Amino acid sequence: MPYSFTKIEEDKSKTITFVFSFLIIFYFLSAWLIAALAKNFLIMEGRSYDHNLSWAPLNFSETFMVLLVSLIVSAGHWLFSVQNVIANMLKVLDAEPLNPDDTYHQMFRNILDEVAVATGGNAIEGVVVPTMAMNAFALSDFSGRSMIGVTEGLLSKLNRAQIEAVVGHEAAHIVSGDCLGTTISTSIFALYNGLLNGITKLLDQSRYTRSSYGYRKSGDSAGGVVVFLLLIYLILMVTRFLSLLIRMFVSREREFRADAVSVRLTRDPLSLAEALYKISSRWRGSGLAGEELEAIFIVNPQFSNLDEQSGMLADLFSTHPPVDQRLAVLLDIAHSDLKSLDEKIKEEPSFKKSLPDFVAVKPQPATPAVPVQWMIHQDGAWRGPFSLTQMTGLNGLKPETWIRKNDGPVIPMYDDPQLRDLLQNRIPVTPAPELLNAKPPEVEVLMCPRCHLKLSPIYYEGGKILRCFYCSGVLVSENNVKRIIIRDEFTFSEKIQRLAQGIRETRDKWGQGTQHIKTANLLTCPQCNPLNVKMDHRFYTAAYPVEIDQCFTCGSIWFDPDELEVLQCLIEQRSQERDEKHEK
Amino acid sequence: MIMMFLWILLGLVIFLLLALALNYNAMVQLRENVRNGWSQIDVQLKRRHDLIPNLVETAKGYMAHESETLERVMKARQQAVNATGLKDKQEAENVLSGTLRSLFAVFENYPNLKADQQMLRLQEELTSTENKIAFARQYYNDEVNRLNTSVQSFPNNIVANLFGFIRADFFEIKDAAEKEAPKVQF
């Protein structure tokens, strides 16, 4: 039985036994150790002081007492973590329920319903996390309640078929039952993380009140702070240890399995591959709260080198397999998927007719005139085959559209020389308005790092920047960025303002995170392309967390669509706020 | 000696009864899954039939010249609603899918219609319903496949004949852009 909700019932008792016995063993061992240490070094010391350090283990009755205590503690811990698991986790993740008036949320709701139908028809709830990061997660608890959450960034940056594939992957975790185990064990360890966060917050507050308002006597709570620090350090050690342990529970294989089940449910391996690629090459949410929960996400929010490795150590301690491997498997499935589709189409009479009869009429069929034809992948389905002339008339072709030429491999469109020319020719050659005494236009042609097609120069806020016709990303030199930011020729659309608002809220809520984003797939700098210099994926600054790609060598910055405008909008809003404050 | 033989016989009988019970239960489960799958398809088909009048109503305001296409869709819908039995339903739904597809092709000529907010919502709903129908059918056919295999293979076929488990029919929709089940391999 590949996917059914009945399997959750079977797995339930297994999960309970496993996690509960882990808790008992953990508490028993640590309590035993503490008790033994106390017995040897605190109690013995008082009685007789001799130099030969002797180690006396606990006797039977003492061990029994310890066992009893650890049983009670683990039962308490268990009850605490199992109550309202989902509600607690959602609180940690700061997730919100779906808004029925929002078209994006409505689409997500529909997709959830579709995938629920594909699994046999049990309801899956949906939530969104209001952040620009891209990720998705699944939760389920003992009452059979299950939930899939995505970030707003994912909803806005992926298309329908890709979101469907991601939801399919998460649903696979739920129906295969491994989501329950992950949720429960994560929730168990979340207790420590909750404690840690609480104490850190407390400490932050006390420091804040002292330094900025100064109405606290100095030295008032110095001792308290030291105790706090020690406590934090201890708890930090425990949680680090435990999060290592949780990684051992979570096998990387289950991500592969969930990918495969997602393909079975949605029959669309390429969209899942696209989605994984997009998520892995952007900000996945590192620095946000809830990153201790990495095991429940589709792609690890924290980029870790361990994840991208194979080998025993990585297999043991990593929760997610290398993204490249996952992509390779999916592309492989896509290939075989396509093959069967090809055969089916060839069986159809219309295709047979299109193989011309005049091949036989011609005396020498030395080179059998196999027409060059392409299959294209659009909206989660394969279309075609199309000839080159037919392709020219097609709308909605993008450089990253998956194509397949005759029986060749599945490649993105920009990798096929003929189609690349086709796309290249579609770029309108608008002579960039030259300034009166401008230098003669540079001849060098730069290629878009995403679409691999040439960039066209445009003027924006008085500066010359390079824009990609297809993906609308722009390349700006370092100096130009500073100029563009100061100027405010253009007003921002409602969409840009909403995005900027979202970023501000994220920043205010989570605090200013790190500036660097580690990702798996870095872009190559268009300017330094011959040298194959990779661009650094990072936030513009910690105060303006807009994702950008900057080349270290030449300083040029690549902005994906909207990113430049959002950055400008953020900075303008900030300066307006400052002005208002000054006026007051 | 006879005593021992009897014991062995008793053991065998108990074993056979147990196997029978397990077999029977497994097949009941399968049959329920098939029924569940069918009811899912039914729900989604009904949803589609409910959405189409809204779609046609919204489209009418923009495309007065295409009243023929719209009428064809409504007629096909009526036929699909009236159809009973699996074979008839399949037939009617295929016709309906065809007319819908031609309607969507015509939409391309009306940029105003494509930008209409109400229309966008309806189209999203309809896309979702189409997907749900496809997924429900996929689930149903998978379960039917499992039931049929189980009913025909030995020794299940004995149990099946005994208790009247019969093969179920697949729900097929002729569709050129039909997605094939990929072979999953590692």
Side-chain angles (χ1 to χ4, degrees):
Chain A
M1 189 75 195
Y3 34 85
S4 116
F5 278 78
T6 46
K7 193 153 177 301
I8 292 179
E9 297 296 319
E10 292 165 24
D11 282 347
K12 214 185 253 179
S13 50
K14 235 188 280 173
T15 311
I16 295 176
T17 343
F18 186 67
V19 177
F20 196 66
S21 50
F22 170 81
L23 271 182
I24 292 176
I25 292 171
F26 173 71
Y27 277 115
F28 175 69
L29 283 181
S30 44
W32 195 88
L33 207 67
I34 291 170
L37 280 174
K39 186 184 172 192
N40 280 287
F41 294 104
L42 294 178
I43 303 163
M44 297 290 267
E45 223 174 4
R47 269 186 231 149
S48 64
Y49 186 81
D50 52 357
H51 282 282
N52 38 336
L53 285 168
S54 61
W55 173 262
L58 300 185
N59 60 31
F60 183 75
S61 64
E62 283 162 340
T63 308
F64 186 73
M65 284 298 290
V66 167
L67 182 67
L68 219 65
V69 168
S70 58
L71 258 174
I72 291 166
V73 172
S74 38
H77 189 168
W78 170 262
L79 286 178
F80 184 85
S81 334
V82 168
Q83 266 178 355
N84 302 323
V85 198
I86 290 189
N88 289 338
M89 297 279 263
L90 291 184
K91 222 164 154 190
V92 175
L93 292 159
D94 234 334
E96 290 170 357
L98 296 180
N99 178 0
D101 284 338
D102 188 297
T103 46
Y104 280 82
H105 289 191
Q106 190 53 42
M107 180 185 69
F108 178 47
R109 179 71 260 165
N110 281 342
I111 289 174
L112 281 173
D113 289 344
E114 286 162 30
V115 172
V117 165
T119 56
N122 289 51
I124 304 174
E125 291 172 63
V127 286
V128 286
V129 182
T131 154
M132 302 308 290
M134 286 172 87
N135 228 321
F137 61 87
L139 298 170
S140 57
D141 70 2
F142 286 118
S143 64
R145 192 176 169 208
S146 46
M147 184 171 274
I148 292 178
V150 295
T151 62
E152 292 280 3
L154 186 116
L155 278 185
S156 74
K157 283 182 192 122
L158 296 186
N159 67 30
R160 201 177 197 285
Q162 290 162 352
I163 297 174
E164 181 120 40
V166 169
V167 171
H169 172 99
E170 296 304 337
H173 276 314
I174 292 173
V175 294
S176 68
D178 48 38
C179 179
L180 181 68
T182 322
T183 309
I184 296 300
S185 49
T186 311
S187 150
I188 292 242
F189 298 126
L191 179 67
Y192 302 111
N193 288 310
L195 279 177
L196 181 68
N197 286 347
I199 290 171
T200 323
K201 221 171 244 173
L202 218 75
L203 195 74
D204 263 7
Q205 254 169 13
S206 78
R207 200 179 55 201
Y208 186 70
T209 31
R210 217 163 9 144
S211 60
S212 59
Y213 297 104
Y215 50 62
R216 263 202 184 189
K217 284 173 224 149
S218 60
D220 177 22
S221 60
V225 170
V226 171
V227 172
F228 260 144
L229 276 175
L230 263 174
L231 215 75
I232 287 170
Y233 187 70
L234 273 176
I235 293 172
L236 204 72
M237 293 299 284
V238 173
T239 43
R240 282 285 165 271
F241 175 67
L242 288 178
S243 60
L244 263 182
L245 280 175
I246 195 177
R247 279 157 205 228
M248 290 173 71
F249 292 145
V250 180
S251 142
R252 314 170 90 178
E253 295 303 314
R254 59 172 60 170
E255 293 298 324
F256 282 126
R257 257 185 288 143
D259 284 349
V261 176
S262 168
V263 170
R264 280 195 71 154
L265 292 177
T266 63
R267 315 259 146 125
D268 187 9
L270 279 181
S271 290
L272 183 59
E274 286 164 1
L276 277 180
Y277 181 82
K278 276 197 183 166
I279 295 173
S280 66
S281 57
R282 298 190 71 94
W283 180 39
R284 312 164 185 177
S286 63
L288 292 192
E291 71 184 35
E292 315 87 36
L293 315 175
E294 63 167 60
I296 63 171
F297 288 98
I298 181 169
V299 172
N300 194 345
Q302 204 87 3
F303 176 88
S304 81
N305 285 325
L306 198 63
D307 270 349
E308 305 305 321
Q309 284 167 11
S310 38
M312 207 184 79
L313 191 74
D315 279 346
L316 200 58
F317 286 112
S318 167
T319 47
H320 292 72
V323 172
D324 285 349
Q325 266 182 38
R326 286 169 78 178
L327 288 179
V329 170
L330 285 172
L331 289 179
D332 199 41
I333 296 174
H335 201 175
S336 65
D337 168 24
L338 201 55
K339 209 180 258 168
S340 52
L341 187 69
D342 265 2
E343 278 157 15
K344 200 178 171 193
I345 284 172
K346 275 176 191 158
E347 277 168 20
E348 279 172 19
S350 62
F351 188 84
K352 275 181 191 153
K353 260 180 225 156
S354 79
L355 281 173
D357 306 324
F358 58 80
V359 175
V361 179
K362 276 185 181 175
Q364 296 131 336
T367 48
V370 179
V372 181
Q373 284 181 316
W374 288 272
M375 303 280 299
I376 60 170
H377 186 258
Q378 266 183 332
D379 301 329
W382 282 97
R383 308 237 169 98
F386 298 110
S387 67
L388 189 61
T389 33
Q390 278 173 316
M391 292 286 279
T392 323
L394 282 180
N395 282 324
L397 290 179
K398 291 193 191 107
E400 69 271 17
T401 307
W402 293 100
I403 55 127
R404 185 161 183 244
K405 181 179 171 182
N406 290 347
D407 282 332
V410 181
I411 49 171
M413 214 164 151
Y414 58 72
D415 266 352
D416 187 286
Q418 270 170 296
L419 297 184
R420 201 182 133 99
D421 289 346
L422 186 150
L423 287 170
Q424 201 83 268
N425 291 337
R426 280 190 183 184
I427 302 176
V429 197
T430 43
E434 291 300 332
L435 298 179
L436 277 177
N437 47 2
K439 282 177 283 176
E442 293 148 42
V443 255
E444 60 171 337
V445 176
L446 299 184
M447 296 292 172
C448 170
R450 291 212 186 274
C451 307
H452 305 262
L453 293 166
K454 66 184 174 205
L455 297 164
S456 5
I458 58 160
Y459 278 94
Y460 179 72
E461 304 267 20
K464 190 170 148 189
I465 60 177
L466 293 169
R467 186 167 169 277
C468 175
F469 173 70
Y470 286 101
C471 70
S472 306
V474 289
L475 183 76
V476 190
S477 69
E478 200 175 14
N479 292 333
N480 253 342
V481 172
K482 287 168 194 154
R483 285 183 216 131
I484 286 173
I485 284 170
I486 310 168
R487 298 171 183 163
D488 47 3
E489 211 173 287
F490 295 97
T491 47
F492 304 109
S493 67
E494 192 259 335
K495 181 190 172 199
I496 299 294
Q497 285 179 6
R498 210 184 53 229
L499 286 173
Q501 187 61 31
I503 288 179
R504 271 157 53 112
E505 276 166 15
T506 310
R507 186 192 62 198
D508 293 346
K509 201 177 272 174
W510 307 117
Q512 298 171 1
T514 48
Q515 205 173 326
H516 285 266
I517 316 166
K518 285 181 176 168
T519 51
N521 303 291
L522 294 174
L523 299 180
T524 310
C525 174
Q527 202 102 34
C528 317
N529 192 15
L531 299 171
N532 196 18
V533 175
K534 294 286 177 203
M535 293 175 116
D536 183 30
H537 194 66
R538 46 176 279 226
F539 291 121
Y540 184 70
T541 58
Y544 303 114
V546 177
E547 287 177 79
I548 57 155
D549 295 273
Q550 183 167 29
C551 176
F552 275 138
T553 322
C554 64
S556 303
I557 299 181
W558 173 260
F559 293 94
D560 280 322
D562 303 336
E563 285 173 359
L564 180 60
E565 285 96 329
V566 169
L567 178 62
Q568 276 182 290
C569 187
L570 272 178
I571 293 174
E572 246 161 61
Q573 283 175 352
R574 177 74 164 259
S575 62
Q576 273 169 14
E577 272 168 29
R578 241 186 244 135
D579 291 347
E580 278 164 22
K581 257 183 202 165
H582 272 291
E583 277 165 23
K584 275 175 193 169
Chain B
M1 190 62 201
I2 294 172
M3 221 31 209
M4 185 147 132
F5 181 72
L6 276 176
W7 278 118
I8 291 175
L9 204 70
L10 191 68
L12 261 175
V13 166
I14 288 174
F15 175 79
L16 276 178
L17 276 176
L18 266 176
L20 191 88
L22 283 178
N23 248 324
Y24 179 81
N25 287 346
M27 262 188 270
V28 168
Q29 175 75 49
L30 280 176
R31 198 172 56 186
E32 282 313 304
N33 284 352
V34 169
R35 279 182 190 162
N36 171 31
W38 177 248
S39 71
Q40 278 203 87
I41 296 182
D42 234 23
V43 168
Q44 298 310 332
L45 288 180
K46 194 163 175 318
R47 170 107 180 110
R48 167 151 95 165
H49 300 158
D50 291 347
L51 279 171
I52 286 172
N54 285 331
L55 181 86
V56 168
E57 222 29 66
T58 316
K60 248 184 201 162
Y62 290 90
M63 39 198 286
H65 306 297
E66 309 276 355
S67 57
E68 205 178 302
T69 322
L70 293 175
E71 263 169 36
R72 257 210 310 275
V73 173
M74 284 308 276
K75 212 188 252 170
R77 175 195 170 263
Q78 200 49 49
Q79 265 167 6
V81 171
N82 293 338
T84 46
L86 195 120
K87 284 273 176 287
D88 281 356
K89 271 192 179 169
Q90 270 179 37
E91 203 81 4
E93 291 301 332
N94 285 345
V95 174
L96 183 56
S97 297
T99 53
L100 270 182
R101 217 171 299 129
S102 56
L103 181 64
F104 280 129
V106 174
F107 280 172
E108 296 294 317
N109 305 332
Y110 295 85
N112 286 342
L113 178 63
K114 278 171 74 185
D116 186 293
Q117 210 55 39
Q118 173 74 8
M119 195 63 202
L120 282 177
R121 289 217 161 191
L122 272 173
Q123 229 166 350
E124 161 63 28
E125 286 304 312
L126 211 60
T127 311
S128 176
T129 311
E130 295 288 318
N131 284 350
K132 280 176 201 160
I133 292 172
F135 285 146
R137 202 161 54 80
Q138 181 179 305
Y139 177 81
Y140 173 77
N141 284 346
D142 281 355
E143 294 303 317
V144 167
N145 191 16
R146 291 180 57 220
L147 177 70
N148 290 354
T149 320
S150 167
V151 164
Q152 289 173 83
S153 51
F154 182 83
N156 297 18
N157 54 358
I158 301 169
V159 184
N161 281 334
L162 221 60
F163 294 100
F165 287 99
I166 45 165
R167 294 169 63 181
D169 287 329
F170 288 103
F171 190 80
E172 288 169 74
I173 286 182
K174 280 271 169 282
D175 189 350
E178 185 56 39
K179 289 175 188 171
E180 269 298 286
K183 295 168 197 95
V184 178
Q185 49 190 210
F186 288 98

